[in-house]
Amino acid sequence: MVKKSIRILVAVLGIGLAGMATLAVGADKMKMVDPAKILKEKGVYGLYNTFKVQPSYSQLSMAERSKAVSEVEAVVKKHSKSVFVQAYLTRGFKSDSDFLLRMHSYEPADAQAFISDFSATALGRNSNVTLALIGVTKGLNHTTKDKSPDLLKALKSTPYSAGPTKYAFVIPIDKSSEWWNQSEAEKLMRMEEHTIPTLPFLVNVKRKLYHSTGLDDTDFITYFETSDLVAFNNLNIALHSVSEMNFNTRYGSPIVMGTIMSVADVVKALSK
């Protein structure tokens, strides 16, 4: 009877431990970064690194380069619980880079750990970083719901509706000391003047803003996606035509343009 009771107890404990293991696995899966969520939340860090592939990479054997995709994908998967990684092919668009990695994380150190591991891959070892930017997502500084309700309503009434995007642009922006020393009323007026001309283009150009003052050598990082390059050109002409542009000490330098692709497809394109 005692032995039977012990066997029952062991079985119950086994079931309990198995259940706990199942819950742990489920919890582990829940920790995966949700792309739709992390791209919309405030307080998220965005890091942009461009890379130039060195001639030494093409000197590797085809067998070595053919393993690059699985090697890089393994690193992306390893960090997928804390970092969301996107890739863009810049080769042919920029002379100083071949690809761009865009990373989002709740802690900059997590993205830094991903870059460290990526640098140990065959592609990473044979590529040089040519640009590194970091910024954080937060609420708008000036055109807030309380200060500019009509403009925010207009922004919400012109959502992107042009379908899948093909190209991305990264444009760092610096402001002059004259900008920062204006009154809040003056900055609000100029940002409203800045935003109104962009409204007609928001149906076919996506945009996202990161704040970088004190985190990097730039004040803002602007990120755009579109398939309509003429519309994007016209959007930039509209932005250059307002007085707020006079307070920029940097607009681009560089402007990074890339084709939106999966991480695997970017590595494949670079490994031919």
Side-chain angles (χ1 to χ4, degrees), residues 116-137:
S116 294
D117 283 350
F118 170 76
S119 299
T121 66
L123 180 60
R125 290 194 306 271
N126 291 279
S127 299
N128 290 339
V129 176
T130 55
L131 177 70
L133 299 170
I134 181 172
V136 64
T137 58

Side-chain angles (χ1 to χ4, degrees), residues 44-243:
V44 173
Y45 294 90
L47 288 82
Y48 292 82
N49 283 21
T50 60
F51 298 82
K52 184 69 176 178
V53 179
Q54 298 304 293
S56 55
Y57 186 64
S58 62
Q59 294 170 6
L60 297 178
S61 68
M62 181 56 71
E64 289 176 295
R65 280 181 281 143
S66 65
K67 296 177 182 177
V69 173
S70 59
E71 188 180 21
V72 173
E73 284 189 317
V75 173
V76 172
K77 183 178 181 181
K78 174 184 175 181
H79 293 272
S80 62
K81 296 176 185 176
S82 57
V83 186
F84 176 52
V85 181
Q86 295 166 284
Y88 309 78
L89 189 67
T90 62
R91 176 174 286 180
F93 294 152
K94 305 300 298 182
S95 61
D96 59 351
S97 72
D98 292 307
F99 66 103
L100 161 70
L101 293 181
R102 180 193 189 202
M103 297 149 282
H104 286 87
S105 62
Y106 296 103
E107 287 291 340
D110 291 333
Q112 186 179 45
F114 164 76
I115 285 294
S116 294
D117 283 350
F118 170 76
S119 299
T121 66
L123 180 60
R125 290 194 306 271
N126 291 279
S127 299
N128 290 339
V129 176
T130 55
L131 177 70
L133 299 170
I134 181 172
V136 64
T137 58
K138 53 184 274 192
L140 296 173
N141 286 341
H142 310 294
T143 51
T144 63
K145 184 178 180 180
D146 294 333
K147 297 176 184 177
S148 193
D150 292 338
L151 181 58
L152 290 187
K153 287 180 181 178
L155 285 169
K156 289 182 179 180
S157 67
T158 54
Y160 180 84
S161 58
T165 51
K166 187 174 182 179
Y167 302 106
F169 294 85
V170 181
I171 303 178
I173 296 173
D174 285 349
K175 293 291 188 185
S176 66
S177 59
E178 287 79 12
W179 168 262
W180 296 110
N181 285 286
Q182 290 182 105
S183 68
E184 178 55 33
E186 289 174 313
K187 284 184 277 191
L188 174 60
M189 177 193 71
R190 296 190 190 282
M191 288 312 299
E192 289 179 333
E193 181 190 33
H194 160 100
T195 306
I196 291 171
T198 69
L199 294 175
F201 305 101
L202 299 186
V203 294
N204 48 14
V205 179
K206 295 181 181 181
R207 63 180 179 176
K208 188 173 181 65
L209 179 68
Y210 303 81
H211 300 254
S212 299
T213 305
L215 302 179
D216 207 335
D217 297 323
T218 191
D219 288 317
F220 301 98
I221 304 167
T222 52
Y223 172 82
F224 300 89
E225 288 185 9
T226 188
S227 291
D228 189 339
L229 298 183
V230 173
F232 185 68
N233 174 253
N234 289 332
L235 168 62
N236 276 272
I237 291 173
L239 289 173
H240 280 73
S241 301
V242 298
S243 62

